[in-house]
Amino acid sequence: QVQFVESGGGLVQAGGSLRLSCAASGRTFSSYAMGWFRQAPGKEREFVATINTGGTLTKYADSVKGRFTISRDNAKNTVYLQMNSLKPEDTAVYYCKPTVGPGPWGQGTQVTVST
């Protein structure tokens, strides 16, 4: 199946910004509505944002609305998550995955926001 690889995580100060990327293999990327999810230590994985196949419809968790922006470039088989005004509570491993159907999770990318 198509695999997705997250990158762009790192350490950033509170109030700072970070841009995550999710690269897909193959030529079927445009067939998937995509989502970003995150999981903090000891907590369940939670929804962050989704984007439809054409990039015309997006949804966000209330906790990130107004601060995060999801986008995609189907020609590059990539989905992005621009994160602004980061807070310590945003610290988590971030994952990307199609929103429809089951499938394996990737390794994710670590985002750490310091005070």
Side-chain angles (χ1 to χ4, degrees):
Q1 292 187 358
V2 177
Q3 296 294 124
F4 300 91
V5 180
E6 304 91 342
S7 64
L11 176 64
V12 64
Q13 293 181 332
S17 299
L18 207 58
R19 187 181 186 87
L20 307 184
S21 297
C22 175
S25 63
R27 296 182 177 181
T28 61
F29 176 74
S30 62
S31 298
Y32 300 92
M34 296 294 297
W36 283 98
F37 306 82
R38 67 186 183 186
Q39 186 170 27
K43 297 184 178 180
E44 294 295 307
R45 186 160 42 235
E46 65 177 350
F47 156 78
V48 175
T50 61
I51 188 167
N52 70 339
T53 57
T56 59
L57 179 64
T58 59
K59 297 180 181 178
Y60 300 92
D62 289 342
S63 59
V64 307
K65 184 178 175 61
R67 300 188 298 119
F68 291 10
T69 302
I70 187 172
S71 62
R72 69 190 298 160
D73 186 339
N74 289 341
K76 296 182 178 179
N77 285 5
T78 304
V79 62
Y80 306 94
L81 185 67
Q82 177 67 47
M83 306 184 295
N84 298 325
S85 302
L86 283 162
K87 305 175 180 179
E89 50 263 45
D90 295 318
T91 295
V93 177
Y94 284 71
Y95 304 87
C96 67
K97 186 180 180 294
T99 60
V100 177
W105 295 90
Q107 293 299 305
T109 185
Q110 175 72 50
V111 172
T112 303
V113 184
S114 63
T115 59

